[in-house]
Amino acid sequence: MHAWPTSPIDLQSVRDPGELSVEKIMLFGAIPAVIVLLIYTLASFGLLLVGAAVYAAIYWLVEWTMLSYFRGHGMLVGQRQYPEIDTMADNFAHRLGVPRPEVYVVQQSLWNAFAAKTVGSRIIVLYSGAIDALMLGGDPEDLGFLVGHEMGHHACGHLDWKYRLIRLGAWIPFLGMYHRRCMELSCDR
């Protein structure tokens, strides 16, 4: 079993310098978007609110469906299934100072992984194609990078409502893409 460091990680020191400055610009860019939404709401005599309520209900249903899919079709990582990944997740969550998310392995030949926050549950989904490729390489640090990167999204708060609201400022050309790149660089660090 690989020995992982145990010292805490200071998130502010590893964040990409551009991430916070771009967030401020996007926050100011979100103000006109919110004003336009308010004008449409008033002009439609509140009909936009009905549409927003329908959207919220569908969004909530999709989140429940997604969480149910991963819990039903994925394998929950624990000491009996993928103990190496379980140890990594415990260690990384402790070092980052966040609650440990549920980690699922889904049978899929794709080389991918993602972090999500669904219905209040924080999860990390690892596709078996990525795990198999990294475990065959024999270096546990490669797999640790993948798990740590996804854990970084939870630690940096990239899945919280604040970031969803900031994304309203992504209408400014190239700013949304640059912000996404900065978030990924922060998690890579």
Side-chain angles (χ1 to χ4, degrees):
M1 185 79 51
H2 185 75
W4 296 97
T6 57
S7 59
I9 297 171
D10 178 28
L11 288 176
Q12 297 310 322
S13 67
V14 297
R15 275 191 192 260
D16 185 69
E19 183 179 353
L20 296 176
S21 59
V22 171
E23 284 176 13
K24 291 175 187 171
I25 296 169
M26 288 180 69
L27 186 60
F28 285 116
I31 293 170
V34 170
I35 291 171
V36 168
L37 287 174
L38 289 174
I39 290 171
Y40 276 129
T41 302
L42 293 174
S44 68
F45 301 106
L47 191 59
L48 190 62
L49 293 177
V50 174
V54 170
Y55 174 81
I58 291 171
Y59 190 84
W60 181 77
L61 182 64
V62 168
E63 280 197 349
W64 268 108
T65 304
M66 187 172 92
L67 185 61
S68 299
Y69 176 81
F70 292 125
R71 286 184 174 165
H73 291 87
M75 183 179 305
L76 181 63
V77 169
Q79 281 301 310
R80 297 185 75 194
Q81 301 289 340
Y82 294 105
E84 306 89 9
I85 298 173
D86 185 57
T87 302
M88 282 180 215
D90 286 341
N91 180 291
F92 297 162
H94 175 72
R95 291 181 67 200
L96 290 167
V98 295
R100 183 185 183 273
E102 298 173 358
V103 181
Y104 292 95
V105 176
V106 175
Q107 183 66 33
Q108 187 66 258
S109 61
L110 296 175
W111 204 112
N112 204 0
F114 64 90
K117 185 177 178 185
T118 60
V119 198
S121 296
R122 294 181 178 272
I123 64 172
I124 293 175
V125 176
L126 307 169
Y127 288 147
S128 61
I131 293 174
D132 293 342
L134 292 171
M135 285 185 154
L136 285 174
D139 189 0
E141 290 193 13
D142 292 340
L143 184 58
F145 177 81
L146 181 67
V147 174
H149 174 91
E150 300 307 333
M151 189 82 67
H153 285 296
H154 288 294
C156 290
H158 293 160
L159 306 167
D160 295 340
W161 278 104
K162 175 186 124 180
Y163 276 86
R164 294 180 187 188
L165 293 175
I166 287 174
R167 297 292 300 160
L168 288 174
W171 62 269
I172 301 170
F174 304 109
L175 199 59
M177 291 185 293
Y178 180 66
H179 183 243
R180 287 272 191 212
R181 188 68 249 150
C182 289
M183 290 191 318
E184 293 299 320
L185 289 172
S186 292
C187 293
D188 286 349
R189 292 177 170 189

